[in-house]
Amino acid sequence: MASSRRDQAVRAAVRHGLLSPDEPVVALLDTDGIRASAAALTSAFASVTDAPVLHAFAVKAAPLVPVLRLLYEAGLGVEVASPGELALARAAGVPPTRTVLDSPAKTPAELRQALALGIAVNADNLQELARLDALVASAPTASPLGLRVNPQVGAGSIGALSTATATSKFGVALRDEGAREAVVQAYLERPWLTRLHTHTGSQGVPLALMAEGVGAAYALAEEINTKAGRQQIDTLDIGGGLPVNFASDEETPTYAEYAALLASTVPGLFDGRYALVTEFGRSLLAKHGTVLARVEYTKTSGGRAIAVTHAGVQLATRTVYAPESWPLRILAYDAEGRPRGRAEAAGGPEQDAALEVVVDVVQDVAGPACFAGDLLAVGRSLPLLRPGDLVAVPDTGAYYFAHHYAYNSLPRPAVHGFTPTEDGGIAFATVRRAQTLDEIVAEAGGDRPDVLLRAAPPGGPMGA
């Protein structure tokens, strides 16, 4: 997200009442930034190949129907990994021909639905291929079908997001004894198997390792096609995984850099013989989302300043539980949404306002949950936060506020998209309204408070 648009949006969110003492946390999405990332992705691959490319956004990164619709209108499809994600994609109007189903645990019902709709399916393992044998034989399908392989090229800096390790749960491990031969034979026995899929990982995985994984899949496709005596595999799904820079507003690495690296290391990938599928997620959305929260109280403990805010583990779960892998920036604003200790965005309406002189203070930024580890930042140097101030947490457009963690039954915040207007203002559109307390109660079985009493009468067996 461009910093100037973010500053304008924060100020406007306060003015519009999107953030208030009664609504102390909100999420903002920069729609212009999302469109720009989609355009950067499509142009990067268009510059290295004339072959068809389906850029399938990984729905898990931001499972919000209006976001999926925005990306579809920008030329992208979707990659789904569950019935829920498929339902979201269909609600967004994404057609089956622009949809790819990946999952390591697809049920027969999921597979039947995908085949009936004509959705592309990547099987995860040889047992799933055997299941597809029966389904394909029982009814015709327009679904392109493929198999995911694990090139076992190694891990990045975050093990949980490295999917091409020796023992990864995903795909058929190509370097295991006899596995490569089994994969080749599986293709030769199934002329309807026309795709090959791989994905090396995401955050923390260097581009060179990603390219090595793609190269391994390409080499396997070439081997299969040679042994088949024809081009049986016509599409390579190279996954996604472009890392995101969480240290600044700079968008790096870029799609153009990755496409250029692939063109230099796996040139045959782009010679027109293979259609391509990508499955980027985090890199399309992360830089274009911001969590905005009020500072409720401030205190000191052991000489350390602490600001207690309304944004914590319920929104930034990964950061709270694994802060070394997922550090986030914190930006300070005053109660009216003006940046504290730095100049407001050029062209803003408050340019004549005097900039306060502040000295940064080392402090912790805490969330609202009732456990000690609920901290967005520890020992961070910031203008000393005051009750009523605002903290903005940038780079949270993917895997943060869209994935609510209901600790302490804290409600899901509202999500608003924003767009600059011609008159220099900001227009907001509600992507998802804030969760109500009644909805929290309903999800917790609030309509059946006595059901366990009826199921277990005193002195009687369960269900008697």
Side-chain angles (χ1 to χ4, degrees), residues 25 291 293 308-323 326 328 330 365-377 393 396 399-413:
V25 60
V291 169
V308 180
T309 80
H310 289 272
V313 71
Q314 84 277 29
L315 306 177
T317 314
R318 290 181 174 184
T319 294
V320 168
Y321 286 123
W326 299 101
L328 287 171
I330 306 292
V365 180
C370 287
F371 77 103
D374 186 25
L375 299 167
L376 287 178
V393 190
T396 49
Y399 295 104
Y400 279 92
F401 51 73
H403 298 72
H404 191 72
Y405 177 42
Y407 201 102
N408 284 147
S409 295
L410 292 165
R412 290 187 294 270

Side-chain angles (χ1 to χ4, degrees), residues 52-373:
V53 183
L54 170 61
H55 296 291
F57 172 69
V59 172
K60 55 185 169 287
L64 298 166
V65 171
V67 170
L68 305 183
R69 180 69 177 186
L70 177 67
L71 290 170
Y72 173 60
E73 293 297 326
L76 275 59
V78 292
E79 181 265 341
V80 300
S82 72
E85 289 184 355
L86 177 56
L88 295 177
R90 298 186 73 187
V94 182
T97 55
R98 307 286 291 176
T99 303
V100 178
L101 173 62
D102 295 321
S103 166
K106 306 180 198 72
T107 66
E110 289 175 60
L111 290 172
R112 280 193 296 269
Q113 180 188 29
L115 297 182
L117 292 171
I119 290 170
V121 176
N122 289 316
D124 179 78
N125 53 70
L126 298 178
Q127 290 178 2
E128 187 177 341
L129 273 188
R131 182 174 285 176
L132 282 172
D133 285 338
L135 294 174
V136 169
S138 65
T141 179
S143 292
L145 301 175
L147 176 67
R148 179 170 181 168
V149 295
N150 171 13
Q152 295 175 292
V153 293
S157 61
I158 304 176
L161 297 188
S162 299
T163 56
T165 61
T167 57
S168 171
K169 76 176 191 178
F170 293 103
V172 180
L174 285 182
R175 296 183 183 180
D176 283 12
E177 185 177 357
R180 188 183 189 94
E181 294 77 7
V183 168
V184 172
Q185 189 60 35
Y187 273 85
L188 297 180
E189 292 173 354
R190 297 170 175 85
W192 43 264
L193 207 55
T194 60
R195 292 190 170 192
L196 188 65
H197 173 44
T198 193
H199 175 67
T200 299
S202 53
Q203 194 67 19
V205 176
L207 298 191
L209 192 64
M210 292 168 57
E212 185 179 349
V214 172
Y218 168 78
L220 178 60
E222 293 283 270
E223 178 182 345
I224 291 169
N225 286 343
T226 297
K227 291 184 176 178
R230 62 187 181 90
Q231 188 169 354
Q232 177 174 339
I233 296 178
D234 58 23
T235 301
L236 286 170
D237 184 334
I238 63 173
L242 194 75
V244 168
N245 166 35
F246 286 94
S248 74
D249 284 323
E250 183 182 5
E251 295 190 36
T252 182
T254 66
Y255 295 118
E257 290 168 346
Y258 183 46
L261 176 62
L262 289 175
S264 65
T265 56
V266 197
L269 189 68
F270 299 123
D271 65 10
R273 290 177 297 127
Y274 293 99
L276 299 175
V277 177
T278 71
E279 299 177 355
F280 295 102
R282 179 182 292 105
S283 54
L284 281 161
L285 264 293
K287 305 300 286 186
H288 310 306
T290 298
V291 169
L292 188 60
R294 284 174 55 86
V295 176
E296 195 67 46
Y297 300 110
T298 57
K299 62 177 76 174
T300 58
S301 183
R304 173 70 60 80
I306 303 172
V308 180
T309 80
H310 289 272
V313 71
Q314 84 277 29
L315 306 177
T317 314
R318 290 181 174 184
T319 294
V320 168
Y321 286 123
E324 296 82 8
S325 296
W326 299 101
L328 287 171
R329 293 181 289 149
I330 306 292
L331 304 176
Y333 295 81
D334 68 16
E336 296 182 0
R338 294 174 299 207
R340 291 203 52 212
R342 58 190 176 88
E344 190 169 4
E350 309 300 319
Q351 284 300 291
D352 56 346
L355 184 67
E356 64 172 335
V357 177
V358 299
V359 176
D360 283 357
V361 174
V362 173
Q363 55 200 295
D364 293 350
V365 180
C370 287
F371 77 103

Side-chain angles (χ1 to χ4, degrees), residues 15-69:
R15 284 178 174 160
H16 285 260
L18 302 183
L19 191 80
S20 69
D22 294 330
E23 295 287 343
V25 60
V26 71
L28 305 178
L29 278 172
D30 178 2
T31 56
D32 280 2
I34 295 171
R35 289 189 183 97
S37 283
L41 172 58
T42 55
S43 63
F45 277 78
S47 69
V48 294
T49 184
D50 294 327
V53 183
L54 170 61
H55 296 291
F57 172 69
V59 172
K60 55 185 169 287
L64 298 166
V65 171
V67 170
L68 305 183
R69 180 69 177 186

